[in-house]
Amino acid sequence: MSGQYTGLPLGRRTLLKGAFAAGLVSATGFASARAASPKKGGKIVIATIGGAASDTLDPRTITSIGHGVMGFTLGNCLTEIGRNNALVGELAESWEHSANATVWKFQLRKGVTFHSGKSMTSEDVVYSLNLHRGEASTSGAKGLLSGISDIAADGPNAIVITMSGPNADVPQLLSDFHLLIVPAGTTDFAAADFTGPYKLQRFEPGDRLHAVRNPNYWKADAAHVDEVEILFVADVTARTSGLLTGEIHIAGRMDPKSVGLVNAAPGVHVEAHPGPGHRPLLMACDRAPFDNLDLRLAVKYSLDRVEILDKVMAGLGSIANDHPIPPFDPFHAADIPQRSFDPDKAKFHLKKSGFDGVLPLSTSNVVFSGAETMAALFQQSAAKAGLKVEIIREPSDGFWKNVWLKKPFVGGSWGGRATADIMLSTAYKSDAPWNDTHWKRADFDAKLAAARGETDFAKRKAIYHDLQVMIHEDGGAAIPFFNNNVDGLRDTVKGYYPSGAYELSGMRVSERVWLDDA
């Protein structure tokens, strides 16, 4: 690769400082944690979802919330999403970009060491980011980084990223949970040599991960507990029971219908906050029968969104409109007419499609606790439109490897992303590895690139509007609702706050909380 950063021939540059730079730390959640006098010590047990016997600690293979929690327990990115969804520096201390936002320089934090004791350098960062790039990459972050033409070291403590076109969101991209920093040359990830708050003690794929506090962790006011145990518990009833009995301190992705029960119990409570996560029905647009737009529209008009939100999420969420940008996002297109349950329109499109068979819908409660209920509700409402659906309850183990991205009609789950660009680049760009509807449009890709490089907010919002319309009208995702993030906590757990797109404090809960009874 070529394209070294040459310093100043970039026109007027803008300097952005990460909040972890000296003097600005008080803007982060860590300052608040300090004010609340966190206690040190103890062992915290976190129950989450998304584990499988095929799991590894290779950041390229992260696909679930549980994997993300494991990753942030062991490692760090260059940037992170902190309290109030503010972007702050993590292993990057500051950054600056050229006038047209095509060349970005990141100053790296000095004095950071890996768990092995090796000092982190720019060579490690370049290697780590390049793991996710290239034609052969299967990383979920491949699409995010596809606009990068070069990553180069600029001395031992800085890197320069050159984009193939303008991109105003590069620092946000680098907060993605895949982009953990590892030593240059790492090929065996089982040793888990990261820079993060906890060091690996034991990893049993699909079952648990046990880690102990990294005594050399560079964040002085984080990683409060001595030990972290992450349990993969697919059964939400078991997670709830463990929380109520005290075997588990934090349970992710609680069943919304159990919120009242948990809040009424002594010693526990639920944290529920609006999020960009959504639970789509995914139709593969590149093959029959879903290469037929009218059949896709028949499915979308067959969704009774109000009933699903009420019965699956106990109302903890908001109605979605078959695109993935949530109402609170500044680029949300609120003027797109809301698609509602309409059996007559569904019948019209079903007849026009010529499809008269049965649609096999693959799902599993490992996706989310109400996935099978949602499938059953859809089956019932679709029947009113004459659309026949067969529910295939897939095994929980291996769902993400064997079903998602492979079968033509799947109940899916997205946690949302930090920005509209990340969400659309990850799931809807034609060549994105996680394009789980296999929907490919060159005009969409071109507009997405244009939005990415537009620095004028109004112009950028207009482009994102068009992109949401394209997905709404033509895409392969039927999206009934945006869900709240719903976590259950023992009252002895302190320091929790919602952060970013994901549950469990943006998947960074292990380093942010402490035990009041430690």
CSV table of all heavy atoms in Angstrom, one decimal, residues 58-60 76-78 91 114 118 120-133 137 139 141 145 151 159 174 178-186 189 193-195:
chain,number,residue,atom,x,y,z
A,58,ASP,N,-11.0,-14.4,17.9
A,58,ASP,CA,-10.6,-13.6,16.7
A,58,ASP,C,-11.6,-12.5,16.5
A,58,ASP,O,-12.8,-12.7,16.2
A,58,ASP,CB,-10.5,-14.5,15.5
A,58,ASP,CG,-10.0,-13.8,14.2
A,58,ASP,OD1,-10.0,-12.6,14.2
A,58,ASP,OD2,-9.6,-14.5,13.3
A,59,PRO,N,-11.2,-11.2,16.6
A,59,PRO,CA,-12.1,-10.1,16.5
A,59,PRO,C,-12.9,-10.1,15.1
A,59,PRO,O,-14.0,-9.6,15.0
A,59,PRO,CB,-11.3,-8.8,16.6
A,59,PRO,CG,-10.1,-9.3,17.3
A,59,PRO,CD,-9.8,-10.7,16.9
A,60,ARG,N,-12.3,-10.7,14.1
A,60,ARG,CA,-13.0,-10.8,12.8
A,60,ARG,C,-14.3,-11.6,12.9
A,60,ARG,O,-15.1,-11.5,12.0
A,60,ARG,CB,-12.1,-11.3,11.8
A,60,ARG,CG,-10.9,-10.4,11.5
A,60,ARG,CD,-9.9,-11.0,10.6
A,60,ARG,NE,-9.2,-12.2,11.3
A,60,ARG,CZ,-8.2,-12.8,10.8
A,60,ARG,NH1,-7.7,-12.5,9.6
A,60,ARG,NH2,-7.6,-13.8,11.4
A,76,ASN,N,-9.4,-3.1,23.5
A,76,ASN,CA,-9.8,-1.7,23.2
A,76,ASN,C,-9.8,-1.4,21.7
A,76,ASN,O,-9.1,-2.1,20.9
A,76,ASN,CB,-8.8,-0.7,23.9
A,76,ASN,CG,-8.7,-0.9,25.4
A,76,ASN,OD1,-7.6,-1.2,25.8
A,76,ASN,ND2,-9.8,-0.7,26.1
A,77,CYS,N,-10.5,-0.4,21.3
A,77,CYS,CA,-10.5,0.2,20.0
A,77,CYS,C,-9.8,1.5,20.0
A,77,CYS,O,-9.3,2.0,21.1
A,77,CYS,CB,-11.9,0.4,19.5
A,77,CYS,SG,-12.9,-1.1,19.2
A,78,LEU,N,-9.7,2.2,18.9
A,78,LEU,CA,-9.1,3.5,18.9
A,78,LEU,C,-10.0,4.5,19.5
A,78,LEU,O,-9.5,5.5,20.1
A,78,LEU,CB,-8.7,3.9,17.4
A,78,LEU,CG,-7.5,3.1,16.8
A,78,LEU,CD1,-7.1,3.7,15.5
A,78,LEU,CD2,-6.3,3.0,17.7
A,91,LEU,N,-7.8,4.2,22.5
A,91,LEU,CA,-6.3,4.0,22.2
A,91,LEU,C,-5.8,5.2,21.3
A,91,LEU,O,-4.6,5.4,21.3
A,91,LEU,CB,-6.0,2.7,21.6
A,91,LEU,CG,-6.3,1.5,22.5
A,91,LEU,CD1,-6.0,0.2,21.7
A,91,LEU,CD2,-5.4,1.6,23.8
A,114,PHE,N,0.2,-4.4,25.9
A,114,PHE,CA,-0.7,-5.6,25.7
A,114,PHE,C,-0.5,-6.5,27.0
A,114,PHE,O,0.4,-6.3,27.8
A,114,PHE,CB,-0.2,-6.4,24.5
A,114,PHE,CG,-0.5,-5.7,23.2
A,114,PHE,CD1,0.5,-5.0,22.5
A,114,PHE,CD2,-1.8,-5.7,22.7
A,114,PHE,CE1,0.2,-4.3,21.4
A,114,PHE,CE2,-2.1,-5.1,21.5
A,114,PHE,CZ,-1.1,-4.4,20.8
A,118,LYS,N,4.1,-6.5,26.0
A,118,LYS,CA,4.6,-5.7,24.8
A,118,LYS,C,3.9,-4.3,24.7
A,118,LYS,O,2.7,-4.2,24.9
A,118,LYS,CB,4.3,-6.5,23.5
A,118,LYS,CG,4.7,-5.8,22.3
A,118,LYS,CD,4.2,-6.5,21.0
A,118,LYS,CE,4.6,-5.8,19.8
A,118,LYS,NZ,4.2,-4.4,19.7
A,120,MET,N,2.3,-1.1,22.9
A,120,MET,CA,1.6,-0.9,21.7
A,120,MET,C,2.2,0.1,20.8
A,120,MET,O,2.6,1.2,21.4
A,120,MET,CB,0.1,-0.5,22.0
A,120,MET,CG,-0.7,-0.3,20.8
A,120,MET,SD,-2.3,0.5,21.2
A,120,MET,CE,-1.7,2.2,21.4
A,121,THR,N,2.4,-0.1,19.6
A,121,THR,CA,2.9,0.9,18.6
A,121,THR,C,2.0,1.0,17.4
A,121,THR,O,1.0,0.3,17.3
A,121,THR,CB,4.3,0.4,18.1
A,121,THR,OG1,4.1,-0.7,17.3
A,121,THR,CG2,5.2,0.1,19.3
A,122,SER,N,2.3,1.9,16.6
A,122,SER,CA,1.5,2.2,15.4
A,122,SER,C,1.6,0.9,14.5
A,122,SER,O,0.6,0.7,13.7
A,122,SER,CB,2.1,3.4,14.6
A,122,SER,OG,3.5,3.2,14.4
A,123,GLU,N,2.6,0.2,14.5
A,123,GLU,CA,2.7,-1.0,13.7
A,123,GLU,C,1.6,-2.0,14.1
A,123,GLU,O,1.0,-2.7,13.2
A,123,GLU,CB,4.1,-1.7,13.9
A,123,GLU,CG,4.2,-3.0,13.1
A,123,GLU,CD,5.5,-3.7,13.4
A,123,GLU,OE1,6.2,-3.4,14.4
A,123,GLU,OE2,5.8,-4.7,12.7
A,124,ASP,N,1.3,-2.1,15.4
A,124,ASP,CA,0.2,-3.0,15.9
A,124,ASP,C,-1.1,-2.5,15.4
A,124,ASP,O,-2.0,-3.3,15.0
A,124,ASP,CB,0.2,-3.1,17.4
A,124,ASP,CG,1.6,-3.5,18.0
A,124,ASP,OD1,2.1,-4.5,17.5
A,124,ASP,OD2,2.1,-2.8,18.9
A,125,VAL,N,-1.3,-1.2,15.4
A,125,VAL,CA,-2.6,-0.6,15.0
A,125,VAL,C,-2.8,-0.9,13.5
A,125,VAL,O,-3.9,-1.2,13.1
A,125,VAL,CB,-2.7,0.8,15.4
A,125,VAL,CG1,-4.0,1.5,14.9
A,125,VAL,CG2,-2.6,1.0,16.9
A,126,VAL,N,-1.8,-0.6,12.7
A,126,VAL,CA,-1.9,-0.8,11.3
A,126,VAL,C,-2.3,-2.3,11.0
A,126,VAL,O,-3.2,-2.6,10.2
A,126,VAL,CB,-0.6,-0.4,10.5
A,126,VAL,CG1,-0.7,-0.8,9.1
A,126,VAL,CG2,-0.4,1.1,10.7
A,127,TYR,N,-1.6,-3.2,11.6
A,127,TYR,CA,-1.8,-4.6,11.4
A,127,TYR,C,-3.2,-5.0,11.8
A,127,TYR,O,-3.9,-5.7,11.1
A,127,TYR,CB,-0.8,-5.4,12.2
A,127,TYR,CG,-1.1,-6.9,12.1
A,127,TYR,CD1,-0.6,-7.7,11.1
A,127,TYR,CD2,-1.8,-7.6,13.1
A,127,TYR,CE1,-0.8,-9.0,11.0
A,127,TYR,CE2,-2.1,-8.9,13.0
A,127,TYR,CZ,-1.5,-9.7,11.9
A,127,TYR,OH,-1.8,-11.0,11.8
A,128,SER,N,-3.7,-4.5,13.0
A,128,SER,CA,-5.0,-4.8,13.5
A,128,SER,C,-6.1,-4.4,12.5
A,128,SER,O,-7.1,-5.1,12.3
A,128,SER,CB,-5.2,-4.2,14.9
A,128,SER,OG,-4.2,-4.7,15.8
A,129,LEU,N,-6.0,-3.2,12.0
A,129,LEU,CA,-7.1,-2.7,11.1
A,129,LEU,C,-7.0,-3.4,9.8
A,129,LEU,O,-8.1,-3.7,9.2
A,129,LEU,CB,-6.9,-1.1,11.0
A,129,LEU,CG,-7.1,-0.3,12.2
A,129,LEU,CD1,-6.9,1.2,11.9
A,129,LEU,CD2,-8.4,-0.5,12.9
A,130,ASN,N,-5.8,-3.7,9.3
A,130,ASN,CA,-5.7,-4.4,8.0
A,130,ASN,C,-6.3,-5.8,8.1
A,130,ASN,O,-6.6,-6.4,7.0
A,130,ASN,CB,-4.3,-4.4,7.6
A,130,ASN,CG,-3.9,-3.1,6.9
A,130,ASN,OD1,-4.8,-2.3,6.4
A,130,ASN,ND2,-2.6,-2.7,6.9
A,131,LEU,N,-6.4,-6.4,9.3
A,131,LEU,CA,-7.0,-7.7,9.4
A,131,LEU,C,-8.4,-7.8,8.8
A,131,LEU,O,-8.8,-8.8,8.3
A,131,LEU,CB,-7.1,-8.1,10.9
A,131,LEU,CG,-5.8,-8.6,11.6
A,131,LEU,CD1,-6.1,-8.8,13.1
A,131,LEU,CD2,-5.3,-9.9,11.0
A,132,HIS,N,-9.0,-6.7,8.8
A,132,HIS,CA,-10.4,-6.7,8.4
A,132,HIS,C,-10.6,-6.2,6.9
A,132,HIS,O,-11.7,-6.1,6.4
A,132,HIS,CB,-11.2,-5.7,9.3
A,132,HIS,CG,-11.1,-6.1,10.7
A,132,HIS,ND1,-11.9,-7.0,11.4
A,132,HIS,CD2,-10.2,-5.7,11.7
A,132,HIS,CE1,-11.6,-7.1,12.6
A,132,HIS,NE2,-10.5,-6.3,12.8
A,133,ARG,N,-9.5,-5.9,6.3
A,133,ARG,CA,-9.6,-5.4,4.9
A,133,ARG,C,-9.2,-6.5,3.9
A,133,ARG,O,-8.6,-7.5,4.2
A,133,ARG,CB,-8.7,-4.2,4.8
A,133,ARG,CG,-9.0,-3.1,5.7
A,133,ARG,CD,-8.0,-1.9,5.6
A,133,ARG,NE,-8.0,-1.4,4.3
A,133,ARG,CZ,-7.0,-0.9,3.6
A,133,ARG,NH1,-5.8,-1.0,4.2
A,133,ARG,NH2,-7.1,-0.4,2.4
A,137,SER,N,-11.2,-11.0,3.1
A,137,SER,CA,-11.7,-10.8,4.5
A,137,SER,C,-13.2,-11.2,4.6
A,137,SER,O,-14.0,-10.9,3.7
A,137,SER,CB,-11.6,-9.3,4.9
A,137,SER,OG,-12.2,-9.1,6.1
A,139,SER,N,-14.6,-10.5,7.7
A,139,SER,CA,-14.9,-9.8,8.9
A,139,SER,C,-16.2,-9.0,8.7
A,139,SER,O,-16.4,-8.4,7.6
A,139,SER,CB,-13.7,-8.8,9.2
A,139,SER,OG,-14.2,-7.9,10.2
A,141,ALA,N,-16.5,-6.2,9.7
A,141,ALA,CA,-16.1,-4.8,9.6
A,141,ALA,C,-15.6,-4.5,8.2
A,141,ALA,O,-15.2,-3.4,7.9
A,141,ALA,CB,-15.1,-4.5,10.6
A,145,LEU,N,-14.7,-0.6,6.4
A,145,LEU,CA,-13.4,-0.2,6.1
A,145,LEU,C,-13.2,-0.2,4.6
A,145,LEU,O,-12.0,0.1,4.1
A,145,LEU,CB,-12.3,-1.0,6.8
A,145,LEU,CG,-12.5,-1.1,8.3
A,145,LEU,CD1,-11.3,-1.9,8.9
A,145,LEU,CD2,-12.6,0.2,8.9
A,151,ILE,N,-3.6,2.5,5.0
A,151,ILE,CA,-3.3,2.7,6.4
A,151,ILE,C,-1.8,2.6,6.6
A,151,ILE,O,-1.2,1.6,6.3
A,151,ILE,CB,-4.0,1.7,7.3
A,151,ILE,CG1,-5.5,1.7,7.1
A,151,ILE,CG2,-3.8,2.1,8.8
A,151,ILE,CD1,-6.3,0.6,7.8
A,159,ILE,N,-0.8,7.0,13.3
A,159,ILE,CA,-1.2,6.4,12.0
A,159,ILE,C,-1.9,7.4,11.1
A,159,ILE,O,-2.5,8.3,11.6
A,159,ILE,CB,-2.0,5.1,12.2
A,159,ILE,CG1,-3.4,5.5,12.7
A,159,ILE,CG2,-1.3,4.1,13.1
A,159,ILE,CD1,-4.5,4.3,12.5
A,174,LEU,N,-14.1,3.7,13.8
A,174,LEU,CA,-13.0,3.1,14.5
A,174,LEU,C,-13.5,2.6,15.9
A,174,LEU,O,-12.7,2.0,16.7
A,174,LEU,CB,-11.8,3.9,14.6
A,174,LEU,CG,-11.2,4.2,13.2
A,174,LEU,CD1,-10.0,5.1,13.4
A,174,LEU,CD2,-10.8,2.9,12.5
A,178,HIS,N,-15.5,-4.8,16.3
A,178,HIS,CA,-14.5,-5.7,15.7
A,178,HIS,C,-13.1,-5.2,15.7
A,178,HIS,O,-12.1,-6.0,15.7
A,178,HIS,CB,-14.8,-5.9,14.2
A,178,HIS,CG,-16.2,-6.5,13.9
A,178,HIS,ND1,-17.3,-5.7,13.7
A,178,HIS,CD2,-16.6,-7.7,13.7
A,178,HIS,CE1,-18.3,-6.5,13.5
A,178,HIS,NE2,-17.9,-7.7,13.5
A,179,LEU,N,-12.9,-3.9,15.8
A,179,LEU,CA,-11.6,-3.3,15.5
A,179,LEU,C,-10.7,-3.2,16.8
A,179,LEU,O,-10.1,-2.1,17.1
A,179,LEU,CB,-11.8,-1.9,14.9
A,179,LEU,CG,-12.7,-1.9,13.6
A,179,LEU,CD1,-12.9,-0.6,13.0
A,179,LEU,CD2,-12.1,-2.9,12.6
A,180,LEU,N,-10.7,-4.3,17.5
A,180,LEU,CA,-9.8,-4.4,18.7
A,180,LEU,C,-8.3,-4.5,18.2
A,180,LEU,O,-8.0,-5.1,17.2
A,180,LEU,CB,-10.2,-5.6,19.5
A,180,LEU,CG,-11.6,-5.7,20.0
A,180,LEU,CD1,-11.9,-7.0,20.6
A,180,LEU,CD2,-11.9,-4.5,20.9
A,181,ILE,N,-7.5,-3.9,19.0
A,181,ILE,CA,-6.0,-3.8,18.6
A,181,ILE,C,-5.3,-5.0,19.2
A,181,ILE,O,-5.4,-5.3,20.4
A,181,ILE,CB,-5.4,-2.5,19.1
A,181,ILE,CG1,-6.2,-1.3,18.5
A,181,ILE,CG2,-4.0,-2.4,18.7
A,181,ILE,CD1,-6.4,-1.3,17.0
A,182,VAL,N,-4.5,-5.7,18.4
A,182,VAL,CA,-3.7,-6.8,18.8
A,182,VAL,C,-2.3,-6.6,18.3
A,182,VAL,O,-2.0,-5.7,17.5
A,182,VAL,CB,-4.3,-8.1,18.1
A,182,VAL,CG1,-5.7,-8.4,18.6
A,182,VAL,CG2,-4.2,-8.1,16.6
A,183,PRO,N,-1.3,-7.3,18.9
A,183,PRO,CA,0.0,-7.2,18.4
A,183,PRO,C,0.2,-7.5,16.9
A,183,PRO,O,-0.4,-8.5,16.4
A,183,PRO,CB,0.8,-8.2,19.3
A,183,PRO,CG,0.0,-8.4,20.5
A,183,PRO,CD,-1.5,-8.3,20.0
A,184,ALA,N,1.1,-6.8,16.3
A,184,ALA,CA,1.3,-7.1,14.9
A,184,ALA,C,1.8,-8.5,14.7
A,184,ALA,O,2.6,-9.1,15.5
A,184,ALA,CB,2.4,-6.1,14.3
A,185,GLY,N,1.3,-9.2,13.7
A,185,GLY,CA,1.7,-10.6,13.4
A,185,GLY,C,0.8,-11.6,14.1
A,185,GLY,O,1.0,-12.8,13.8
A,186,THR,N,-0.2,-11.2,14.9
A,186,THR,CA,-1.0,-12.2,15.6
A,186,THR,C,-1.8,-13.0,14.6
A,186,THR,O,-2.5,-12.5,13.7
A,186,THR,CB,-2.0,-11.5,16.5
A,186,THR,OG1,-1.3,-10.7,17.5
A,186,THR,CG2,-2.9,-12.5,17.2
A,189,PHE,N,-5.3,-16.3,18.0
A,189,PHE,CA,-6.0,-15.4,18.9
A,189,PHE,C,-6.4,-16.1,20.2
A,189,PHE,O,-7.0,-15.4,21.1
A,189,PHE,CB,-7.3,-14.8,18.2
A,189,PHE,CG,-6.9,-13.9,17.0
A,189,PHE,CD1,-6.8,-14.4,15.8
A,189,PHE,CD2,-6.6,-12.6,17.2
A,189,PHE,CE1,-6.4,-13.6,14.7
A,189,PHE,CE2,-6.3,-11.7,16.2
A,189,PHE,CZ,-6.2,-12.3,14.9
A,193,ASP,N,-4.2,-11.8,23.5
A,193,ASP,CA,-3.2,-10.7,23.9
A,193,ASP,C,-3.8,-9.4,23.4
A,193,ASP,O,-3.5,-9.0,22.3
A,193,ASP,CB,-1.8,-11.0,23.2
A,193,ASP,CG,-0.8,-10.2,23.9
A,193,ASP,OD1,-1.0,-9.5,24.9
A,193,ASP,OD2,0.4,-10.2,23.3
A,194,PHE,N,-4.5,-8.8,24.2
A,194,PHE,CA,-5.2,-7.5,23.9
A,194,PHE,C,-4.6,-6.4,24.9
A,194,PHE,O,-3.7,-6.7,25.7
A,194,PHE,CB,-6.7,-7.6,24.0
A,194,PHE,CG,-7.3,-8.5,23.0
A,194,PHE,CD1,-7.6,-9.8,23.4
A,194,PHE,CD2,-7.6,-8.1,21.7
A,194,PHE,CE1,-8.2,-10.7,22.5
A,194,PHE,CE2,-8.2,-9.0,20.8
A,194,PHE,CZ,-8.5,-10.3,21.2
A,195,THR,N,-5.2,-5.2,24.8
A,195,THR,CA,-4.8,-4.1,25.7
A,195,THR,C,-5.9,-3.8,26.8
A,195,THR,O,-5.7,-2.8,27.5
A,195,THR,CB,-4.6,-2.8,24.9
A,195,THR,OG1,-5.8,-2.5,24.2
A,195,THR,CG2,-3.5,-3.0,23.8
